[in-house]
C-alpha cells in the first residue's frame, strides 16, 4: 500500500469517548481497552487528558508504559502546564504524541477565549514550539475548525506546521458540517495552506446531526489521511465517528476510496463488546457493523438469497468483523469439552474453575431455554466471571409480587462462608431486593440508571440488566444476566456492590478482578 493510501486510525475512545456522560472507566478497564486497541492495530491511541485529573494522568502514564506498537497521545490545551503534564505522562511511551488544541472559530474566540485572531495565532505557535521541545510528534487541532473563517484557519494551520506540528486535525467539534461542505473544506486546506504537504491532515467529527461517519469519509475522499474515531461511536453529546463504521466502509468500498487501514477487522466485535461492558453503554441491535442484527436476515426472501449466495444480501462477511452471529451452537446434551471448544472459538479462555461454573450455568440455561446461542454463552461467562471473586454472592431469592399486591422479597447472600437473609418490601420487587441487599451489606447504594435488554430473541431469552449505582461519590456500573429479570436485576446490583467493596479494599489501587475475557 502506498503511504498516501493508508488512512491512520486515531482512536479517542479513552479520551473523547470517555467524556460521554456516564461513560467513565476505571484504570484497569482503560488499560484493557488500550491493549485491545493495540491488538486491533490502531495507529494512535489517545489515552486521556493528563492535566485534567490525577486519575487521567495516571492512566495515560500506565498506558504509555505498556503499549508499544501504537503511538500513545495525550491531550493538552495550548498552555504550558497542560503540555508539561502531557509530556510527563507520556514519558515512558515508545511512540509519544502530544495533541494540542486551541479554538479558532469567531464564536469561540469572542465568547470563550476572549482573544484576538493575532493572539490565537501566537498562542498556537508558542504551544506547538513548546510541545515540540518535549516531543517530536505533535498534533494540532484548531477546535471548531468547521465553523472557523477559512482564511484564518489556513493562517493558523500554516503557522503551526511551520512551528513543528506533524499532524493537523480539523475538528467538526459541534457536528455542524455537511459531508460535501466538509470534504470541500479539506480540499480547500490542501489547496490553500502552502506547507500542508509537511503534515498529515486528520479529521475529527461529532455526530450531533448523525453525520460524523459520512463527514469523515468525505474528508478521506478529499485527502485526509488520519481519522479520529471511537469504538461504538461513543463520545461527547451524540458521540464521535464510529471506528468500526469508518474502517469497514473504507475496506468494503476500497473500489471507491482506494484507501486502507491497518486495522485487524476480526477484532472489531470483541473490542466493541469490551467497551460496551466497561462503559455500560449497550450497543443498539441495529447499530451498523456491531449491532446484534447487523448480519441477521429476517425476511424469507433474504434468507433464501443468503443461503444460495451470501453476497445477494451481505456486503461484508460477518466473520471479517469477528461477528459470532446467532449460530445455534450447543444443546442440552453438549458436554464440557464442547463448551470449552466453542468458547475458545469465541476468543474466551477460562480457568478450570471458571469453566466448571460456566458449565453449570450452561446446563441450567439449556434446561430453561430451547436454544443456546453464542450471545447466551458470552453473557453467562461474563456473568460468571463477575462472580468469581465476589465478596457477596447470591444464595437465594424469593419474590411475591403482583397487581395491587405490595411486593415482598427475601434475599439470601453468602459472604465468607456465612449466609445472611433479609426480607423487605419496596415500590416494586426490584426496589425491595435492592433494599434487602443494602441492609445485608451495610452499603447504601443510590440507583442512578437501570436498563434491561434481551441477549437473544424469544420469550425464553436471557435478560441482561445494567445498573449505575452511586456509593457516596463513586459511580459504579453493574451487569447481571438471567432468564429471570428480577434475578438479573439483583445480580447487576450485587455486581456493583462487589465492585464497590473491592475498590474500597484496594484503596485506590488498580483492581484485579478477572472478567475472563482478557486476551
Ligand atoms: O471535538 C473537538 O474539537 C475535540 C478536540 C479536542 C480535538 O475533541
Ligand atoms: Zn471531540
Amino acid at each position: 500500500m502506498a503511504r498516501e493510501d493508508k488512512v491512520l486510525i486515531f482512536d479517542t475512545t479513552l479520551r473523547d469517548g470517555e467524556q460521554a456522560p456516564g461513560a467513565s472507566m476505571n484504570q484497569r478497564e482503560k488499560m484493557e481497552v488500550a491493549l485491545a486497541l493495540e491488538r486491533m492495530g490502531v495507529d494512535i491511541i489517545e489515552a486521556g487528558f493528563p492535566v485534567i485529573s490525577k486519575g487521567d494522568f495516571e492512566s495515560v502514564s500506565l498506558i504509555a508504559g505498556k503499549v508499544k506498537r501504537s503511538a500513545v497521545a495525550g491531550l493538552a490545551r495550548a498552555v504550558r502546564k497542560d503540555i508539561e503534564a502531557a509530556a510527563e505522562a507520556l514519558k515512558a511511551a515508545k511512540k509519544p504524541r502530544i495533541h494540542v488544541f486551541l479554538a479558532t472559530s469567531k464564536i469561540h474566540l469572542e465568547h470563550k477565549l476572549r482573544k484576538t485572531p493575532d493572539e490565537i495565532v501566537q498562542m498556537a505557535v508558542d504551544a506547538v514550539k513548546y510541545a515540540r521541545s518535549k516531543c517530536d510528534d505533535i498534533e494540532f487541532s484548531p477546535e471548531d475548525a468547521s465553523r472557523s473563517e477559512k482564511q484564518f484557519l489556513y493562517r493558523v494551520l500554516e503557522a503551526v506546521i511551520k512551528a513543528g506540528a506533524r499532524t493537523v486535525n480539523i475538528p467538526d467539534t459541534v457536528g455542524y458540517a455537511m459531508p460535501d461542505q466538509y470534504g470541500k473544506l479539506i480540499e480547500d486546506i490542501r489547496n490553500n495552506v502552502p506547507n500542508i504537504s509537511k503534515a498529515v491532515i486528520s479529521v475529527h467529527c461529532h455526530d450531533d446531526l448523525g453525520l460524523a461517519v459520512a463527514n469523515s469519509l468525505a474528508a478521506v475522499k478529499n485527502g485526509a489521511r488520519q481519522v479520529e474515531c471511537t469504538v461504538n461511536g461513543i463520545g461527547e453529546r451524540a458521540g464521535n465517528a464510529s471506528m468500526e463504521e469508518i474502517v469497514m466502509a473504507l475496506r468494503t468500498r476500497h473500489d471507491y476510496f482506494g484507501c486502507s487501514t491497518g486495522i485487524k477487522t476480526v477484532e472489531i466485535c470483541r473490542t466493541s463488546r469490551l467497551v460496551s461492558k466497561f462503559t455500560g453503554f449497550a450497543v443498539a441491535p441495529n447499530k451498523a457493523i456491531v449491532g446484534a442484527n447487523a448480519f441477521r436476515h429476517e425476511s424469507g426472501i433474504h434468507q433464501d438469497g443468503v443461503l444460495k449466495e451470501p453476497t445477494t444480501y451481505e456486503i461484508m462477511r460477518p466473520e471479517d468483523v469477528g461477528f459470532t452471529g446467532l449460530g445455534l451452537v450447543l444443546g442440552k446434551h453438549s458436554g464440557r469439552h464442547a463448551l470449552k471448544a466453542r468458547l475458545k472459538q469465541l476468543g474466551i479462555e477460562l480457568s478450570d474453575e471458571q469453566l466448571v461454573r460456566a458449565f453449570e450455568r450452561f446446563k441450567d440455561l439449556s434446561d430453561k431455554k430451547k436454544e443456546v446461542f453464542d450471545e447466551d454463552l458470552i453473557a453467562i461467562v461474563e456473568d460468571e466471571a463477575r462472580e468469581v471473586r465476589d465478596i457477596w454472592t447470591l444464595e437465594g431469592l424469593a419474590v411475591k409480587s403482583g397487581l395491587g399486591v405490595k411486593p415482598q422479597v427475601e434475599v439470601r447472600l453468602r459472604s465468607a462462608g456465612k449466609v445472611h437473609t433479609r426480607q423487605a418490601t419496596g415500590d416494586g420487587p426490584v426496589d425491595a431486593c435492592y433494599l434487602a441487599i443494602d441492609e445485608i451489606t451495610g452499603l447504601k447504594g443510590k440507583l442512578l440508571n437501570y436498563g434491561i435488554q434481551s441477549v437473544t430473541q424469544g420469550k425464553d431469552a436471557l435478560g441482561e440488566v445494567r445498573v449505575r449505582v452511586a456509593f457516596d461519590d463513586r459511580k459504579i456500573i453493574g451487569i447481571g444476566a438471567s432468564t429471570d429479570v428480577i434475578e438479573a436485576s439483583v445480580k447487576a446490583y450485587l455486581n456493583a456492590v462487589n465492585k464497590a467493596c473491592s475498590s474500597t479494599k484496594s484503596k485506590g489501587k488498580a483492581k484485579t478482578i478477572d472478567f475472563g475475557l482478557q486476551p
Side-chain angles (χ1 to χ4, degrees):
M1 196 193 328
R3 173 71 183 85
E4 61 269 23
D5 293 337
K6 176 164 183 194
V7 174
L8 300 170
I9 297 297
F10 176 116
D11 180 278
T12 183
T13 305
L14 296 172
R15 199 276 299 168
D16 222 345
E18 222 236 352
Q19 267 171 237
S24 57
M25 291 177 247
N26 65 32
Q27 253 168 32
R28 184 190 58 82
E29 292 165 343
K30 284 184 189 176
M31 177 62 85
E32 247 195 82
V33 170
L35 295 176
L37 295 172
E38 181 182 39
R39 187 175 55 227
M40 272 181 108
V42 162
D43 299 281
I44 304 107
I45 298 170
E46 188 163 51
F49 194 169
V51 84
I52 221 78
S53 71
K54 199 165 159 270
D56 247 52
F57 182 93
E58 273 169 18
S59 50
V60 174
S61 53
L62 287 173
I63 291 168
K66 192 98 181 177
V67 166
K68 296 293 166 224
R69 293 193 300 277
S70 314
V72 179
L75 187 66
R77 286 166 301 183
V79 292
R80 284 191 169 225
K81 75 169 172 123
D82 285 35
I83 294 166
E84 278 154 12
E88 184 61 26
L90 293 169
K91 230 170 36 191
K94 190 153 181 243
K95 301 186 211 166
R97 171 180 294 193
I98 300 180
H99 178 189
V100 178
F101 75 100
L102 180 64
T104 50
S105 65
K106 200 163 174 265
I107 213 162
H108 280 230
L109 259 62
E110 281 174 9
H111 301 287
K112 188 180 87 175
L113 300 171
R114 304 215 166 93
K115 300 263 181 220
T116 66
D118 287 346
E119 284 170 329
I120 291 293
V121 175
Q122 196 56 52
M123 269 180 85
V125 167
D126 289 348
V128 169
K129 281 191 179 155
Y130 188 57
R132 240 344 256 274
S133 73
K134 302 196 169 283
C135 175
D136 280 346
D137 186 359
I138 305 301
E139 168 169 336
F140 180 82
S141 287
E143 192 191 8
D144 206 15
S146 57
R147 291 194 301 168
S148 300
E149 200 260 312
K150 278 191 180 176
Q151 294 303 324
F152 181 56
L153 186 61
Y154 304 151
R155 184 179 158 204
V156 172
L157 294 176
E158 184 181 356
V160 294
I161 294 170
K162 205 162 152 217
R166 284 190 185 166
T167 303
V168 285
N169 183 39
I170 311 301
D172 182 27
T173 302
V174 290
Y176 182 73
M178 292 291 127
D180 58 345
Q181 268 183 337
Y182 193 64
K184 176 84 168 56
L185 174 61
I186 303 301
E187 188 193 353
D188 289 346
I189 287 171
R190 290 178 66 205
N191 292 331
N192 290 285
V193 177
N195 53 0
I196 196 69
S197 63
K198 297 206 172 95
V200 172
I201 302 179
S202 168
V203 287
H204 175 115
C205 299
H206 280 269
D207 210 28
D208 299 68
L209 292 172
L211 293 169
V213 170
N215 284 337
S216 305
L217 293 172
V220 169
K221 190 74 182 152
N222 284 279
R225 286 296 175 266
Q226 174 179 293
V227 177
E228 303 198 353
C229 45
T230 59
V231 174
N232 299 339
I234 64 167
E236 184 84 35
R237 304 183 310 280
N240 289 58
S242 132
M243 188 229 272
E244 55 279 4
E245 294 176 24
I246 301 278
V247 167
M248 290 313 289
L250 293 178
R251 177 177 158 141
T252 308
R253 295 305 311 273
H254 188 270
D255 62 316
Y256 180 75
F257 291 102
C259 293
S260 314
T261 70
I263 297 295
K264 292 189 190 73
T265 60
V266 289
E267 295 290 338
I268 283 178
C269 283
R270 180 147 69 131
T271 311
S272 158
R273 278 201 300 268
L274 198 70
V275 169
S276 166
K277 182 173 80 174
F278 289 157
T279 56
F281 286 8
V283 172
N286 61 328
K287 164 84 175 64
I289 319 294
V290 290
N293 292 347
F295 295 96
R296 190 173 283 164
H297 303 280
E298 202 63 34
S299 122
I301 295 173
H302 289 206
Q303 283 174 353
D304 180 52
V306 169
L307 284 173
K308 287 179 176 142
E309 169 51 50
T311 55
T312 49
Y313 288 101
E314 276 180 359
I315 58 165
M316 296 164 272
R317 296 188 319 162
E319 57 270 35
D320 288 346
V321 296
F323 187 86
T324 49
L326 261 189
L328 176 59
V329 291
L330 298 171
K332 223 176 154 80
H333 305 291
S334 307
R336 194 177 307 168
H337 289 299
L339 176 68
K340 188 174 177 181
R342 184 60 197 163
L343 289 173
K344 200 163 177 210
Q345 282 170 358
L346 294 172
I348 301 169
E349 304 259 10
L350 296 186
S351 68
D352 289 346
E353 185 200 353
Q354 287 171 325
L355 185 65
V356 168
R357 294 171 64 113
F359 187 64
E360 276 169 24
R361 290 283 302 272
F362 160 69
K363 280 291 182 196
D364 194 34
L365 185 66
S366 57
D367 276 342
K368 291 182 189 153
K369 210 171 171 289
K370 284 198 299 282
E371 302 165 319
V372 178
F373 298 109
D374 287 343
E375 281 90 337
D376 294 317
L377 292 184
I378 292 165
I380 290 176
V381 169
E382 288 186 343
D383 206 43
E384 201 48 55
R386 274 190 287 274
E387 288 178 4
V388 169
R389 291 180 208 166
D390 282 352
I391 293 157
W392 296 98
T393 52
L394 182 63
E395 188 76 14
L397 176 65
V399 178
K400 204 167 111 199
S401 158
L403 213 55
V405 179
K406 180 101 178 145
Q408 278 191 321
V409 302
E410 183 178 281
V411 177
R412 260 181 300 132
L413 301 184
R414 178 183 287 276
S415 181
K418 230 178 125 198
V419 175
H420 306 252
T421 306
R422 283 291 184 288
Q423 286 161 352
T425 59
D427 284 344
V430 173
D431 182 48
C433 289
Y434 290 1
L435 287 173
I437 294 174
D438 283 353
E439 273 198 34
I440 297 175
T441 60
L443 282 181
K444 182 100 194 73
K446 183 166 180 253
L447 187 66
L448 303 175
N449 275 319
Y450 174 98
I452 184 161
Q453 193 185 347
S454 75
V455 172
T456 52
Q457 289 167 330
K459 284 191 205 144
D460 58 0
L462 271 180
E464 188 174 78
V465 171
R466 288 164 189 246
V467 291
R468 185 179 303 277
V469 187
F471 297 95
D472 300 323
D473 57 347
R474 287 171 306 153
K475 296 187 181 79
I476 294 179
I477 292 163
I479 307 176
S482 170
T483 47
D484 176 329
V485 295
I486 307 287
E487 186 183 326
S489 308
V490 167
K491 286 181 156 182
Y493 191 76
L494 211 50
N495 179 229
V497 166
N498 279 310
K499 285 185 185 175
C501 291
S502 70
S503 65
T504 313
K505 278 189 131 193
S506 63
K507 290 211 170 64
K509 276 188 260 150
K511 284 188 271 166
T512 50
I513 301 167
D514 181 355
F515 284 81
L517 287 172
Q518 268 92 330

